[in-house]
Amino acid sequence: MAAPHADDAPAPAGRMITLTCDRPAAGGTFVARHEGRVVFVRGSAPAETVIARLVEDPQEAAKARFWRAEAVEVLEPSTDRVPTVWPEAGTDGVGGADWAHIALPAQRRIATEVLQELLSRAKVTTFPPEDAQVEPAPGDRDGLGWRTRVRYAVDAAGRVGMRGWRSHDVRPVGSDPLAVRAISELDLPSWTPPRGTEALDVIAPSDGPVAVVIIGRDLDPAALELPARLDGVDVSVQNSSGLHPVRGDGTVREKVGERSFVVAQTGFWQSHRLAAEVLAEVVAADLGVREGDAVWDLYGGVGLFAAGAARAAGAAGSVVSVEGGTRATALATRNLADFPGARAENGDCTQWVKRAITSGARPNRVVLDPPRAGAGAELMRLLCEAVGERIVYVSCEPSTLARDLAAAEAAGWRVADLRAVDLFPHTHHIESIAVLERTA
């Protein structure tokens, strides 16, 4: 990386400073110090000296408690640095692979350090932080070709790319080695989509054709002319009035084991091609549902975990999937229709649990998979009061997971197990599965 010479004086945004990075921080950056002030540096690695450019607003930089910066030149490389797997994700590049320049085993070691520190800071005591280790997904050798869902941004000139780190700028994507082949082969970054397109969502499901959603407030589905590259691809338009299927029915199908799940094209499903199967197996084993059990699946999506629980609970059991999205709830009802003891309900999970407890419901086991914000103190308190035996917590954000585990410990529960899986290689994100049980 080439850059101007650094000016080591205190610097507003855009100025260069020389920094030596130390430990990793949550969020994928590395910690350095400049004249006593903490600087979080993107694009660096542990024990590495770099010239970095500050990204803070000039008027805010002087009073900020910390600065953010992006490495633009490496002076003394880390032993963890390798040739990047995605050059377009480097300095001034796209924001989708912040650790593409770090060796894959080192990525997992660094993510492990972050997870362990977050557990320690949250004062989780019933599970030794040093026992938490980030492991690769089974069969994932190089961390490439895993992403089955990609969002491209489109700028005012119709250029297709991705947004930069902490930026609204649309930047070139290149080959995007993280995307599965079915997405890469469409080569959408070389396409000029219809005028007014703001973004493109591309989904490569495990069971059925690729789908492309063309997003723009004022797009007219009736006027859409599809290029040859989209032959055989399901296409929808999402405008200010909703989703309009042009080819296909607006859904995709995901196969997990022998079971197929219907998912809205714009709905949530794990991005890694192996994630749903890995998580479903781990959650089923951790929940340990017995015939006749009552189970809640909170933030249940389209019913992935509920289906496994319903199979184990049998006709005598009761499984409820609770989801805030109305479309996902409707699809969960469809996906669970062959299980007589299972149903899907729509609503805010915390409020739903409150009502259920008031009505006297007391499940044996609960699985929850909240968004990055986590479950929160109120929901954790309610679950610790209501659940009879076990809570399995699936998390994509270790900081809020650690906070919620500490809340459960304060309510008399213990962390019986914790696994972390690298389902987002070449990024700082990880997926964790924690098992909570009542003490004594």
Side-chain angles (χ1 to χ4, degrees), residues 269-322:
W269 188 262
Q270 292 283 346
S271 291
H272 196 293
R273 58 188 174 81
L274 302 173
E277 187 166 352
V278 169
L279 292 174
E281 289 179 358
V282 173
V283 167
D286 286 346
L287 268 180
V289 176
R290 302 156 304 194
E291 188 170 355
D293 271 350
V295 183
W296 294 346
D297 176 11
L298 305 181
Y299 309 95
V302 298
L304 173 64
F305 299 144
R311 185 182 302 109
S318 169
V319 176
V320 186
S321 173
V322 184

Side-chain angles (χ1 to χ4, degrees), residues 198-273:
E198 300 164 9
L200 300 168
D201 280 354
V202 192
I203 308 100
S206 58
D207 187 16
V210 172
V212 173
V213 181
I214 305 172
I215 302 168
R217 289 183 296 273
D218 301 321
L219 291 176
D220 181 2
L224 187 65
E225 295 183 6
L226 299 180
R229 75 178 71 208
L230 296 183
D231 288 351
V233 172
D234 284 354
V235 178
S236 297
V237 168
Q238 182 173 291
N239 59 23
S240 57
S241 64
L243 185 72
H244 306 274
V246 176
R247 183 189 295 149
D249 63 0
T251 68
V252 294
R253 284 157 180 77
E254 297 284 359
K255 195 167 186 180
V256 181
E258 297 301 314
R259 191 171 189 83
S260 186
F261 293 83
V262 182
V263 185
Q265 289 173 350
T266 54
F268 174 77
W269 188 262
Q270 292 283 346
S271 291
H272 196 293
R273 58 188 174 81

